[in-house]
Amino acid sequence: MKRRILYYLFILTVLTSCNLKFQTSGKDSSDAAIAVDRYDRLESRYLTTGDYAALQQMNTDYPQQTRMLLEDILKLGEVNDASINSRFLSLFQDTLMQEIISDAQVQFANIDDITKQLSSAFSNLKKLLPAMEIPSFYTQITALDQSIVVGGKMVGISLDKYLGTDYAIYHNFYSDDQMQTMSREYIVPDCLCFYLLSIYPLEDFESSEQWERDLHMGKIMWVANRALGKRFFKTDAVARIEEYMRRHMKTTTAQLLNTDEKAFLE
């Protein structure tokens, strides 16, 4: 779990340094049921068949997602580079990548359960943080690069990072410990944590002490547990936050998230 905490914080630091420029509609979608855009289907069609129409639709219907994928996640260059499409296609042509794409399409042919969980969790989170905007969601394939990416008010879910704790190909790249969190059940909790971290980042991450990082993630995970309606995350830091909130029952969620980590050492 400590590796998971460091992963959350490290990836957030990387993404927030990418100068993401997503545009948002400016309207609050808290009363609307969440829908997840299946960007991964267009992406998979292009990467497995070379269908240029699918690539055109990616750029036309999902320009922001495509720019982020090519430039910030895969780091293939500028989205307008003449050769970037061929580099994108080539990256996924080896046998393992093609198998991963195929397996992701099979395992996630239906994501109604994930959509329902996202709607419930983010509705609960909105009640805890009324000023928060509910983001939009989409699915993608990122060559095992990142699990959840956040840009503006958009959350991208990398399906290839959630193919199961016993997924054979993962053994080539990850330890057994890392694989324990690479399953379908982690998608919604991860979405909550990454989105909360984008709103409430740890200041001076590079110079912070490990205990500060742990307690900051403890706050994030405690709020995620509240939104999920269960104790999904169970760490010493989460337990410390839970004890703090029992002793400070009038503290709002927003106040908790803005509380300096030193307060939890008392």
Side-chain angles (χ1 to χ4, degrees):
M1 183 58 75
K2 180 158 285 188
R3 290 183 182 177
R4 191 71 172 176
I5 292 171
L6 290 174
Y7 176 74
Y8 280 131
L9 293 170
F10 172 73
I11 292 300
L12 184 73
T13 302
V14 171
L15 291 178
T16 52
S17 68
C18 289
N19 192 28
L20 305 181
K21 297 180 179 178
F22 286 143
Q23 297 176 350
T24 59
S25 62
K27 61 183 180 180
D28 186 351
S29 58
S30 61
D31 294 328
I34 285 176
V36 180
D37 287 329
R38 294 303 303 264
Y39 175 74
D40 68 291
R41 288 177 173 167
L42 285 174
E43 184 186 357
S44 298
R45 202 167 92 207
Y46 175 64
L47 295 174
T48 56
T49 69
D51 185 351
Y52 187 68
L55 178 64
Q56 285 183 310
Q57 194 172 348
M58 286 170 61
N59 285 305
T60 301
D61 295 350
Y62 301 97
Q64 298 162 340
Q65 291 90 334
T66 301
R67 178 181 293 276
M68 185 174 180
L69 176 65
L70 299 181
E71 294 184 359
D72 299 322
I73 299 175
L74 301 179
K75 295 179 173 58
L76 295 175
E78 297 292 325
V79 72
N80 294 322
D81 286 354
S83 62
I84 195 168
N85 294 334
S86 60
R87 293 201 298 273
F88 179 39
L89 187 61
S90 297
L91 178 65
F92 287 87
Q93 291 313 296
D94 69 78
T95 304
L96 279 182
M97 283 296 106
Q98 288 291 304
E99 186 174 346
I100 288 171
I101 293 172
S102 176
D103 291 341
Q105 292 305 294
V106 171
Q107 282 201 36
F108 294 98
N110 187 305
I111 60 169
D112 288 349
D113 58 322
I114 295 170
T115 301
K116 183 177 180 181
Q117 291 168 32
L118 283 171
S119 295
S120 174
F122 275 83
S123 176
N124 291 338
L125 187 61
K126 179 69 173 176
K127 294 173 184 175
L128 296 171
L129 296 166
M132 181 201 75
E133 290 186 53
I134 293 182
S136 58
F137 298 85
Y138 66 96
T139 49
Q140 61 183 347
I141 305 294
T142 59
L144 300 180
D145 193 277
Q146 293 168 13
S147 53
I148 304 294
V149 294
V150 180
K153 301 303 176 187
M154 301 174 67
V155 176
I157 302 166
S158 299
L159 299 180
D160 50 320
K161 291 295 291 287
Y162 294 100
L163 293 174
T165 58
D166 58 350
Y167 186 58
I169 292 177
Y170 285 164
H171 289 283
N172 298 316
F173 306 100
Y174 303 102
S175 67
D176 290 343
D177 184 50
Q178 290 172 312
M179 289 168 56
Q180 293 308 305
T181 60
M182 298 176 68
S183 60
R184 192 183 190 105
E185 66 174 342
Y186 269 86
I187 290 178
V188 175
D190 280 357
C191 284
L192 287 165
C193 286
F194 276 105
Y195 191 60
L196 283 168
L197 277 170
S198 74
I199 304 171
Y200 298 95
L202 176 63
E203 300 297 334
D204 301 319
F205 171 78
E206 294 298 335
S207 60
S208 64
E209 299 288 341
Q210 185 60 52
W211 64 266
E212 294 177 289
R213 299 178 185 184
D214 290 346
L215 287 172
H216 188 77
M217 272 312 304
K219 293 190 296 185
I220 296 293
M221 288 177 168
W222 184 86
V223 175
N225 283 349
R226 291 288 304 279
L228 291 166
K230 60 182 177 180
R231 288 176 173 161
F232 186 86
F233 295 108
K234 302 173 184 177
T235 69
D236 291 342
V238 171
R240 186 179 287 269
I241 302 304
E242 189 165 329
E243 175 59 29
Y244 175 89
M245 291 301 283
R246 275 200 294 264
R247 290 186 284 107
H248 300 81
M249 297 183 65
K250 293 184 179 181
T251 300
T252 67
T253 301
Q255 288 171 337
L256 168 69
L257 291 168
N258 284 306
T259 299
D260 189 280
E261 279 68 36
K262 292 179 181 178
F264 309 115
L265 296 178
E266 300 173 358

